[in-house]
Amino acid sequence: SCVAGEEPPIDANKSTAGAGEETDSDSEETPKRKLTDDFFYEEPPMMSLATASESVPVDLVQLYHSFGFECTKRSNLQALDKDNVLFMSGNVVEIFNVHTHQQTYIRSSTGCGIGAIAVHPSHKYFAVAEKGDAPPINIYLWPSLKLFRILRHGTVA
C-alpha cells in the first residue's frame, strides 16, 4: 500500500516503455517507474477533510444524506451497472442504488470540487476529474471503490 508522499511499488519485470508511462520533464528518454497492475492507493490520506478548529473537532459531523444533483452539468448521470448510478454533487461523487436507495459517497481529494465523471465502457472503472489548480483525475475500481490510479495534473492542458 502507498501513503501520500511514499513511492508506489514497481514491477521490475515490466518494460518501462509504452502507454501509462510517466517521464521526467527534463528528458523524454528517462522514464519514471511504472505501477504494477495490482497496486491500489490508500484512500484516507488522500481525501479532503473538514477543517477543524480548537472548539470544533474534525469528526463532529459526517455526511448522512445528499439531496443535491447538479442537473446542469454535462454527463452528470452515469450508469455503473443495472442497479447503480454515479453522479457528482459539490465536493462528493455519489453512487446511488436505484432499488435500495442506498447512497455511497466519495469525497473530493483536493476539496475544490468535482469537475467531471466518466465510466469506462467495461464498467470496471470510473474516473473523477477534480477542480482547482493542477487537479488530479482519480480512477476507481468498481464495485470495490479502491483507488486504482491518480493522474496528477490530469486536467491541465
Side-chain angles (χ1 to χ4, degrees):
S1 66
C2 180
V3 179
E6 291 182 7
E7 290 294 320
I10 61 166
D11 186 346
N13 297 323
K14 287 196 174 182
S15 166
T16 56
E21 160 186 295
E22 295 182 35
T23 58
D24 290 331
S25 58
D26 298 332
S27 171
E28 283 296 318
E29 297 176 17
T30 311
K32 287 188 178 179
R33 298 186 290 172
K34 188 173 181 178
L35 298 177
T36 61
D37 290 339
D38 61 348
F39 170 76
F40 291 94
Y41 290 90
E42 294 219 10
E43 265 189 89
M46 290 219 24
M47 296 300 110
S48 64
L49 299 172
T51 305
S53 68
E54 290 180 20
S55 60
V56 180
V58 71
D59 59 353
L60 178 66
V61 295
Q62 69 179 36
L63 179 61
Y64 176 74
H65 186 83
S66 170
F67 293 99
F69 175 75
E70 298 178 54
C71 63
T72 59
K73 280 196 172 187
R74 177 175 284 181
S75 301
N76 191 23
L77 187 63
Q78 303 279 327
L80 287 168
D81 56 31
K82 66 181 182 68
D83 299 323
N84 296 282
V85 294
L86 175 76
F87 61 92
M88 55 190 146
S89 181
N91 279 348
V92 298
V93 172
E94 184 172 332
I95 298 169
F96 180 72
N97 185 299
V98 296
H99 300 295
T100 66
H101 297 180
Q102 178 184 6
Q103 295 173 304
T104 303
Y105 306 102
I106 300 174
R107 289 184 60 118
S108 160
S109 63
T110 62
C112 294
I114 309 297
I117 55 172
V119 176
H120 189 272
S122 70
H123 294 270
K124 292 180 181 179
Y125 306 94
F126 64 91
V128 178
E130 304 219 6
K131 293 180 179 179
D133 294 330
I137 299 174
N138 298 318
I139 301 175
Y140 293 88
L141 184 65
W142 173 253
S144 71
L145 302 181
K146 289 182 177 180
L147 183 55
F148 180 62
R149 293 293 182 265
I150 301 170
L151 307 178
R152 300 190 193 283
H153 309 288
T155 59
V156 177

